[in-house]
Amino acid sequence: MHISKILTVFSIFFLAVGSTQSLNACEGILSQETLTEKEKSLVLVASYTAKGDLKKLEKVLNDGLDNGLTVNQIKEAIVHLYAYCGFPRSIRGLQTFIKVLDDRKAKGIEDVWGTEASPITDSRDKYARGKTNLDKLVGTTLDGPKKGYAKFSPEIEIFLKEHLFADLFERDVLTYKERELVTISVIASIQKAEPMLRSHMNICLIQGWTTEQLQDFTKIIKQHVGRQEGTAAETVLKELLQSKE
């Protein structure tokens, strides 16, 4: 073969390889701007548990395990969400999860349980620990006089600090970032709590979720949970982002 033809062949080959690598790199960047299958499973487990749709919950629990979530991660998500939609929904979700695990075990499927929560070594009282965790969550120190609901009902502010932000958030089975994804999934699904949804979407941004990932979240809610729920979540996110411009 003539030397010029050989060079032409090699040039085409390297251009093709380079194009493929560039495409793969772009796809990698794009994939980072959307939720992973594991993260989508967390969204749907939280949403269907909050809605009480146990039939759909069974399917997404199976999907979540197949997508790589551990038993303890799913269990932790269902426990976490009771703070936002109540014990009855959470317990029904756990009962459904037990059934799913039993069915899978009967089929010979050995699911990974994963790590459990680390022991708490902080000797401070729970209010102080909860306040520290909340400050980390929102990325600033929340001091000053109480106002709003905290002033009107100081007892609930204590319960939030001592229980939600100490007892629950100290459990490291899920990260703060994952817990906030679970939280907005619940709030979006139960509806009529837009101010809280906006607040927690903002915390999601603080914790590292991107605008594109939150937009992906609203699409998942609209497609799988309900058009009304998804549209409301889209509106809240749009208003939040516009306020930051």
Side-chain angles (χ1 to χ4, degrees), residues 34-165:
T34 58
L35 297 176
T36 66
E37 292 306 311
K38 288 171 68 173
E39 291 160 353
K40 290 177 183 177
S41 291
L42 271 181
V43 170
L44 294 177
V45 166
S47 296
Y48 288 141
T49 302
K51 297 286 282 186
D53 193 334
L54 303 184
K55 184 176 181 180
K56 289 182 179 177
L57 178 59
E58 281 193 34
K59 181 183 184 306
V60 297
L61 286 169
N62 276 287
D63 292 343
L65 291 167
D66 292 339
N67 288 334
L69 288 172
T70 68
V71 173
N72 282 331
Q73 285 175 323
I74 294 176
K75 184 169 64 171
E76 193 73 22
I78 296 175
V79 169
H80 176 87
L81 62 80
Y82 96 78
Y84 299 93
C85 66
F87 276 111
R89 293 294 196 208
S90 182
I91 291 173
R92 290 297 286 136
L94 291 171
Q95 290 170 334
T96 303
F97 194 24
I98 291 170
K99 178 181 181 300
V100 167
L101 291 172
D102 287 343
D103 290 344
R104 289 170 67 90
K105 186 175 181 180
K107 295 175 183 176
I109 302 173
E110 293 293 332
D111 289 305
V112 177
W113 279 76
T115 57
E116 296 186 356
S118 302
I120 303 301
T121 58
D122 194 331
S123 61
R124 294 178 299 161
D125 65 74
K126 289 201 294 185
Y127 187 90
R129 283 154 38 201
K131 184 184 183 308
T132 297
N133 291 339
L134 177 58
D135 289 347
K136 290 178 181 177
L137 186 68
V138 300
T140 188
T141 300
L142 298 176
D143 290 321
K146 301 291 185 293
K147 57 184 180 179
Y149 72 84
K151 181 179 180 180
F152 178 71
S153 179
E155 58 271 21
I156 198 170
E157 195 267 341
I158 292 173
F159 297 156
L160 282 169
K161 293 288 197 312
E162 293 186 347
H163 181 47
L164 176 59
F165 294 114

Side-chain angles (χ1 to χ4, degrees), residues 20-39:
T20 301
Q21 289 175 337
S22 298
L23 181 60
N24 289 339
C26 289
E27 288 176 348
I29 293 172
L30 180 61
S31 67
Q32 294 172 9
E33 298 304 321
T34 58
L35 297 176
T36 66
E37 292 306 311
K38 288 171 68 173
E39 291 160 353

